[in-house]
Amino acid sequence: MSVYSELLKRVDKKNLPTHVAIIMDGNGRWAQKRHLVRVKGHEQGSKVVKRIVETASNLGVKVLSLYAFSKENWNRPREEVDALMQLLHRYLLVESNNLIKNGVRLSIIGDRKSLSPTLNELISDVCARSEHNTGTRVVIALSYSGRYEIVEAVKAVIKDVQDKKIAPDDIDEELFGNYLFTKDIPDPDLLIRTSAEKRISNFMLWQIAYTELYITKTLWPDFTKEEFLRSIISFQKRERRFGMTGDQLITQKNSSRGYSLNE
Ligand code: IPE
Ligand code: IPE
Ligand code: MG
């Protein structure tokens, strides 16, 4: 039996993370280690995207979000930025039919204004064509920054208050969440970051309040479907307490089975 099938057997299909988010990092170092130009690392990385989208979709993960390009990444050398935009364009062009055929719904979050008109057109087309799909929702964060998203949401809330659509007292976490790019997407349950960096780099700052983190040394171009399964198995072994005590969780679990330890 293959390693993949062995791991698949260990995944509890009834307890899958609904939303897996990935900070796909380490493409540049992967290329540098091989004395290649950084762009080669991005090329290899985009092949891994294809593989992980397929794996998540086969497994039945409802939402897979991928941090592809941050607002801060615009500060990289011009040639690298151009190459990344081209790769993204190519990925959408080449993969979209296949993704749509497999039931994937594609969404892009980020500052669309900063993208080229051609890329924006392609994005709108692919998103519209996949809008009614009910399979895995693939969310690509592109020209994205968590702080930017929050500031845009604040501006939109203020406008709605000024237009009297909402009152200041209506503002709570749920309402605020509805002004974010991710308004119809549940918060990530699991966040994977490749290449060992122990930081968030401005990704989904609001949404990851109680997300489980999985940080791996593996560079993104080396990330495999086996490691994707390992991250899910690791997630499934954890106790998510959301501020409660471990004992409270046991009581809650038992009472949802029809009896309580405290009774
Ligand atoms: C991630 O790989 C891809 C993007 C940020 C666009 P990097 O390009 O950041 O790779 P490293 O971190 O330099 O190795
Ligand atoms: C985070 O990676 C952004 C993406 C993966 C798109 P970076 O390589 O930009 O993050 P830092 O600069 O190391 O924090
Ligand atoms: Mg990096």
Side-chain angles (χ1 to χ4, degrees):
M1 194 181 270
S2 70
V3 176
Y4 183 78
S5 324
E6 289 284 354
L7 288 164
L8 194 58
K9 278 208 306 209
R10 286 170 50 201
V11 172
D12 176 0
K13 311 293 178 316
K14 291 197 210 70
N15 184 28
L16 285 177
T18 304
H19 179 174
V20 180
I22 310 184
I23 301 178
M24 309 181 291
D25 197 16
N27 295 351
R29 276 163 285 169
W30 182 92
Q32 275 156 357
K33 260 174 50 184
R34 289 163 177 75
H35 308 288
L36 299 168
V37 287
R38 292 177 58 87
V39 173
K40 291 285 169 201
H42 297 313
E43 280 173 15
Q44 194 61 31
S46 75
K47 292 184 191 153
V48 177
V49 170
K50 180 174 175 311
R51 213 185 299 143
I52 297 305
V53 168
E54 276 168 15
T55 310
S57 161
N58 291 339
L59 200 62
V61 170
K62 295 264 187 310
V63 186
L64 177 73
S65 55
L66 303 169
Y67 200 9
F69 192 86
S70 70
K71 269 181 91 65
E72 289 76 21
N73 289 150
W74 287 112
N75 298 321
R76 291 192 176 192
R78 175 75 197 273
E79 314 79 69
E80 183 167 344
V81 170
D82 287 351
L84 276 163
M85 290 299 144
Q86 261 172 32
L87 263 175
L88 217 110
H89 199 279
R90 204 193 310 156
Y91 173 80
L92 291 176
L93 212 56
V94 175
E95 287 305 317
S96 59
N97 286 342
N98 205 22
L99 291 173
I100 293 167
K101 204 177 72 210
N102 289 322
V104 164
R105 176 174 172 197
L106 194 89
S107 309
I108 305 285
I109 57 170
D111 176 15
R112 291 277 298 265
K113 294 190 301 295
S114 59
L115 304 177
S116 77
T118 10
L119 185 55
N120 260 322
E121 234 172 79
L122 178 61
I123 289 172
S124 301
D125 171 63
V126 182
C127 293
R129 281 196 292 136
S130 68
E131 198 182 9
H132 300 294
N133 278 357
T134 53
T136 299
R137 179 142 184 204
V138 174
V139 180
I140 301 183
L142 184 55
S143 192
Y144 173 90
S145 124
R147 286 188 174 181
Y148 168 79
E149 177 182 37
I150 292 169
V151 169
E152 288 301 300
V154 169
K155 287 198 261 183
V157 168
I158 292 173
K159 186 167 185 309
D160 280 356
V161 170
Q162 283 170 340
D163 294 348
K164 307 239 176 312
K165 288 189 189 149
I166 54 169
D169 275 349
D170 294 336
I171 303 168
D172 57 14
E173 290 179 16
E174 195 190 337
L175 180 136
F176 188 73
N178 285 330
Y179 283 81
L180 297 169
F181 296 139
T182 50
K183 56 179 171 291
D184 51 351
I185 298 168
D187 290 342
D189 300 291
L190 170 64
L191 171 64
I192 300 169
R193 181 166 188 151
T194 57
S195 89
E197 306 299 357
K198 293 175 186 64
R199 54 177 174 260
I200 297 302
S201 304
N202 220 344
F203 190 48
M204 293 205 183
L205 298 180
W206 174 274
Q207 297 87 340
I208 59 168
Y210 272 102
T211 299
E212 294 295 328
L213 308 180
Y214 179 92
I215 294 171
T216 169
K217 277 197 283 208
T218 309
L219 303 174
W220 177 249
D222 290 327
F223 194 75
T224 57
K225 53 189 190 353
E226 286 78 13
E227 188 159 13
F228 186 70
L229 293 188
R230 276 193 202 99
S231 74
I232 291 179
I233 294 166
S234 156
F235 165 83
Q236 291 181 332
K237 287 190 185 136
R238 302 187 193 181
E239 183 178 64
R240 301 183 78 189
R241 287 194 288 275
F242 299 99
M244 289 190 283
T245 67
D247 286 349
Q248 281 177 300
L249 289 178
I250 296 171
T251 312
Q252 208 178 51
K253 216 175 176 177
N254 289 334
S255 61
S256 70
R257 282 202 206 108
Y259 63 94
S260 157
L261 281 182
N262 288 345
E263 275 168 8

